[in-house]
């Protein structure tokens, strides 16, 4: 593995702690991985950007998909997933998901998650887009993510797993042979000098969630700034299929100038019988797909966008007035409250909706055990590209993917740990430092030696915080639901201008952006935006949630392929198309070089 030698411009770590595994992220994937690693006896540290329950998981409304109902089978779940993925799912990854999924849900219930039940006491199941059976388990009506997050957070705290909150991950640490050696991070308000420190561990699990904040309007929380994908790219990892960003069809429309996180109107509302209509009350999805409003999300989003274009308007409506007040209050209390908070009463009027950025189907490329192309670096959840989602994620498969592949990662790390570390060729290499003790107030303790700085190509020039809104504007205009060569060219040029401006400012001390959370986030957003635009420009067809107006057809002969991108040491993007539709495997087991030593370097 060849490291790029690229890192964020940040102060040197002022403190360090040691662990067997560090998990970055506290959604369903991260907390599940941490719990399973802790159960295996591994010293586990969870690093999360905000509070432990502030990730994307708690915003999930619809539920978690698994073949739990009578008459349903993993095979049927597999078929629906493959159809939604539009020819780019990895069949083995999907088979793993649907066969291991039901037991993973049962283990989640054993952990403490409480799902809604039917009159017989069994798990109540509903339908969502793309599913031919009722297989979506939900909690609190439309508060599934919040309940899953509650259960996992409680288990983490009861299990005495070490947690560092309000911590932004910066970069991967690696030894001279390219093996993962931990992470650097900035702890906000921790009281340490500059807040920058390190967690040293031979295994790092990225579970940082998505990158929805790269667009002006998204269902993602403010913390979803693509930090995990950016870190992986700088570390030399490959990312795949980043052009496939799913735009949720039904997001509460708050006006033409609304920005940031927008309220989601769950697909489960359509699953219970709500209709998409235009201002005249006409159901426009009928006849476009056999499932009408319950077609896969890309088809529904395109149907809404086409109708909006035809009528010259910026939103459609979701009509569920026929539910009545009792059903709204019992089945969808969260959505009802959100709508009423914005002056809309879905009991008496249709809900204005429009598509908004929702989920990244692509991400850091992994194998079936969550291993990336960097030895010791794992990824799961939305930050990862396991091959499950293909060109378009099937509704409610995301929580299940987080569960299943997090458990697989934990087993793999435990097996690797039990086998012992790969011995360095240099017998005089220093032994790992002893774990640091926490300070009396719970802050990370200090260690005798922090990981060394390094990297032949130096730090990335940082963007000023104000660049974040400019990136969002560029991406929304050029790489949103509707894309073309012209729009993507404009986006690429504008992003390159931001990059060059940052380079220029970095050469003039008085103009250089100061290291800090907002500048680091903006810089991460710029990197993932560049990769997304490059991949979208490369794929000259329409497939799944990637819609090219200048190439409206699906081209299986030429484009049933994956796009893989990596960052070169020169900070350019190396973009390649795979030879077949087969999901490319991760690198073979790492073999240390003769000159390897154990000293971590950035």
């Amino acid at each position: 593995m060849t490291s790029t030698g690229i890192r964020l411009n940040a102060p040197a770590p002022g403190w360090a702690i040691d662990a067997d595994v560090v998990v970055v992220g506290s959604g369903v994937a991260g907390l599940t991985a941490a719990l399973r690693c802790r159960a295996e006896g591994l010293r586990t540290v969870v690093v999360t950007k905000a509070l432990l329950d502030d990730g994307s998981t708690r915003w999930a409304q619809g539920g978690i998909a698994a073949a739990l109902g009578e008459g349903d089978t993993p095979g049927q779940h597999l078929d629906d997933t493959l159809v939604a993925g539009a020819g780019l799912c990895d069949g083995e990854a999907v088979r793993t998901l649907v066969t291991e999924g039901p037991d993973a849900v049962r283990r989640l219930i054993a952990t403490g998650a409480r799902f809604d039940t039917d009159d017989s006491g069994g798990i109540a199941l509903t339908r969502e887009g793309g599913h031919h059976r009722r297989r979506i388990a939900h909690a609190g009506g439309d508060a599934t993510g919040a309940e899953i997050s509650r259960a996992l957070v409680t288990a983490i705290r009861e299990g005495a797993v070490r947690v560092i909150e309000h911590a932004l991950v910066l970069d991967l640490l690696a030894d001279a042979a390219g093996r993962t050696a931990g992470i650097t991070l900035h702890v906000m308000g921790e009281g340490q000098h500059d807040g920058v420190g390190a967690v040293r561990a031979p295994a790092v699990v990225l579970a940082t969630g998505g990158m929805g904040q790269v667009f002006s309007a998204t269902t993602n929380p403010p913390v979803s700034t693509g930090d995990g994908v950016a870190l992986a790219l700088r570390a030399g990892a490959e990312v795949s299929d980043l052009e496939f960003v799913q735009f949720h069809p039904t997001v509460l429309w708050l006006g033409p100038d609304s920005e940031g996180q927008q309220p989601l109107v769950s697909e489960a509302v359509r699953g219970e019988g709500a209709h998409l209509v235009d201002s005249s009350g006409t159901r426009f999805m009928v006849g476009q797909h056999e499932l009408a409003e319950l077609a896969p999300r890309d088809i529904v989003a395109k149907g809404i966008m086409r109708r909006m274009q035809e009528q010259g308007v910026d939103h459609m409506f979701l009509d569920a007035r026929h539910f009545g007040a009792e059903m709204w209050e019992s089945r969808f209390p969260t959505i009802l409250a959100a709508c009423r908070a914005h002056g809309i009463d879905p009991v008496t009027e249709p809900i204005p909706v429009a598509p908004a950025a929702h989920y990244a189907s692509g991400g850091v490329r992994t194998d079936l055990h969550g291993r990336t192309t960097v030895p010791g670096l794992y990824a799961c959840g939305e930050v990862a590209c396991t091959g499950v989602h293909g060109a378009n994620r099937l509704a409610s498969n995301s929580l299940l993917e987080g569960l299943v592949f997090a458990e697989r990662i934990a087993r793999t790390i435990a097996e690797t740990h039990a086998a012992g570390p790969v011995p360095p060729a240099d017998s005089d290499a220093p032994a790992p430092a002893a774990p640091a003790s926490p300070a009396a107030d719970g802050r990370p303790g200090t260690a005798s030696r922090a990981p060394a700085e390094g990297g032949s190509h130096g730090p990335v020039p940082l963007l000023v915080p104000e660049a974040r809104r400019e990136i969002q504007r560029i991406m929304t205009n050029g790489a949103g639901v509707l894309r073309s060569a012209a729009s993507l060219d404009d986006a690429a040029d504008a992003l390159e201008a931001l990059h060059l401006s940052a380079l220029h400012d970095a050469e003039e001390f008085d103009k250089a952006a100061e290291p800090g959370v907002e500048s680091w986030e903006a810089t991460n957003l710029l990197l993932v935006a560049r990769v997304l635009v490059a991949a979208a420009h490369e794929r000259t067809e329409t497939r799944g949630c990637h819609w090219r107006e200048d190439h409206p057809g699906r081209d299986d002969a030429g484009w049933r392929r994956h796009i893989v991108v990596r960052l070169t040491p020169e900070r350019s993007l190396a973009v390649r198309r795979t030879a077949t539709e087969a999901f490319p495997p991760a690198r073979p087991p790492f073999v240390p070089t003769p000159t390897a030593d154990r000293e971590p370097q950035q």
Side-chain angles (χ1 to χ4, degrees):
M1 194 279 294
T2 302
S3 173
T4 65
I6 301 171
R7 64 184 187 279
L8 287 173
N9 183 12
W15 52 267
I17 60 175
D18 290 271
D20 296 319
V21 56
V22 55
V23 178
V24 188
S26 60
V28 62
L31 295 186
T32 299
L35 283 171
R36 300 295 180 257
C37 285
R38 183 71 179 84
E40 295 285 352
L42 300 173
R43 294 177 301 162
T44 304
V45 174
V46 173
V47 172
T48 186
K49 195 172 179 180
L51 293 172
L52 200 54
D53 62 352
D54 267 355
S56 292
T57 291
R58 77 181 183 97
W59 298 99
Q61 296 173 345
I64 184 167
L68 297 166
E70 184 177 354
D72 197 5
T73 66
Q76 294 175 69
H77 190 182
L78 181 144
D79 289 343
D80 286 346
T81 300
L82 295 179
V83 170
L88 281 185
C89 295
D90 178 75
E92 193 58 35
V94 177
R95 193 173 303 279
T96 297
L97 178 82
V98 299
T99 55
E100 297 182 10
D103 282 343
V105 173
R106 294 183 185 104
R107 283 189 289 273
L108 178 63
I109 294 171
T111 302
R114 298 187 292 263
F115 290 95
D116 296 342
T117 57
D118 55 26
D119 293 339
S120 66
I123 297 175
L125 301 173
T126 189
R127 279 183 68 190
E128 290 186 359
H131 293 272
H132 282 78
R133 283 192 174 271
R134 299 178 76 89
R135 65 167 65 97
I136 315 301
H138 51 84
D142 58 357
T144 309
E147 169 57 19
I148 290 174
S149 180
R150 181 206 61 78
L152 292 175
V153 167
T154 298
I156 285 285
R157 288 174 174 155
E158 292 177 349
V161 176
R162 186 167 189 173
V163 176
I164 304 176
E165 296 181 311
H166 300 293
L168 171 65
V169 65
L170 299 176
D171 281 303
L172 192 73
L173 296 168
D175 63 22
R179 289 184 295 262
T180 292
I183 58 166
T184 56
L185 67 163
H186 173 79
V187 184
M188 296 164 266
E190 192 62 29
Q192 303 280 347
H193 178 67
D194 290 320
V196 175
V199 180
R200 299 183 293 204
V204 172
V205 181
L206 293 179
T208 52
M211 54 185 189
Q213 290 292 326
V214 80
F215 294 97
S216 296
T218 177
T219 62
N220 290 188
V223 295
S224 298
T225 52
D227 306 318
V229 172
L231 175 149
L233 284 163
R234 289 192 297 270
E238 294 182 345
V239 302
S240 185
D241 301 342
L242 215 62
E243 69 273 25
F244 295 118
V245 176
Q246 188 177 80
F247 287 77
H248 198 288
T250 54
V251 175
L252 185 61
W253 184 78
L254 300 178
D257 299 322
S258 59
E259 295 180 339
Q261 186 178 10
Q262 312 288 300
L264 176 66
V265 182
S266 170
E267 199 144 344
V269 177
R270 281 176 281 138
E272 295 292 352
H275 302 143
L276 281 165
V277 298
D278 59 20
S279 59
S280 67
T282 301
R283 288 181 63 189
F284 55 86
M285 285 303 299
V286 176
Q288 293 198 39
H289 190 275
E290 61 169 328
L291 296 176
E293 285 91 354
L294 284 176
R297 287 177 176 174
D298 63 307
I299 294 172
V300 178
K302 290 172 188 175
I304 292 174
M305 293 299 297
R306 287 193 184 104
R307 196 67 160 195
M308 286 163 53
Q309 286 181 322
E310 291 169 2
Q311 298 186 349
V313 297
D314 45 20
H315 65 281
M316 289 285 114
F317 295 92
L318 188 64
D319 193 350
R321 290 174 291 180
H322 54 286
F323 285 4
E326 183 178 351
M327 181 174 174
W328 267 111
E329 291 167 359
S330 62
R331 180 68 179 86
F332 301 111
T334 305
I335 299 170
L336 178 63
C339 289
R340 285 177 170 170
H342 292 283
I344 300 155
D345 188 350
V347 176
T348 59
E349 60 185 318
I351 306 168
V353 294
H358 181 58
Y359 191 89
S361 292
V364 184
R365 189 161 71 79
T366 74
D367 64 8
L368 295 180
H369 301 278
R371 294 175 294 206
T372 74
T373 52
V374 174
L377 180 65
Y378 301 78
C380 56
E382 190 174 355
V383 70
C385 185
T386 63
V388 160
H389 303 309
N392 188 46
R393 175 179 68 96
L394 181 65
S396 288
N397 267 356
S398 53
L399 293 175
L400 189 70
E401 182 198 31
L403 275 180
V404 168
F405 286 90
E407 292 186 340
R408 290 186 138 244
I409 285 173
R411 289 196 296 269
T412 301
I413 293 175
E415 291 167 1
T416 302
H417 183 79
V422 177
D426 180 4
S427 59
D428 295 327
S437 300
D441 59 0
R443 295 197 304 267
T446 58
S448 59
R449 176 170 49 86
E453 294 286 326
S456 59
H457 295 274
V460 177
L462 299 179
L463 270 66
V464 295
E466 296 75 30
R468 177 171 178 154
R469 292 189 67 181
E470 180 64 10
I471 293 168
Q472 293 171 335
R473 184 194 64 79
I474 292 167
M475 293 298 291
T476 298
N477 292 339
V481 179
L482 307 179
R483 302 168 178 173
S484 67
S487 75
L488 292 166
D489 282 339
D490 289 344
D493 290 345
L495 294 173
E496 180 65 14
L498 284 176
H499 178 62
L500 293 176
S501 177
L503 283 171
H504 177 268
D505 289 347
E507 295 173 356
E508 300 187 29
F509 182 77
D510 59 335
K511 290 186 177 181
E514 290 292 327
V517 172
E518 292 181 338
S519 57
W520 289 322
E521 286 183 334
T523 304
N524 285 339
L525 283 172
L526 177 61
L527 178 54
V528 297
R530 289 173 60 205
V531 175
L532 193 161
V533 168
H537 196 284
E538 180 79 4
R539 185 173 291 279
T540 52
E541 65 155 357
T542 289
R543 181 185 298 271
C545 51
H546 171 67
W547 185 5
R548 284 285 296 262
E549 292 184 283
D550 51 343
H551 296 279
R554 173 171 155 177
D555 178 10
D556 278 347
W559 279 109
R560 196 174 174 190
R561 307 285 189 270
H562 300 276
I563 295 177
V564 178
V565 183
R566 63 180 177 83
L567 184 65
T568 72
E570 294 74 32
R571 298 175 183 160
S572 63
L573 302 179
V575 183
R576 67 180 174 90
R577 186 194 325 184
T578 60
T580 70
E581 72 275 11
F583 197 65
R587 288 181 179 272
F590 179 71
V591 178
T593 61
T595 58
D597 63 40
R598 300 293 289 179
E599 181 67 19
Q601 296 179 346
Q602 277 187 286

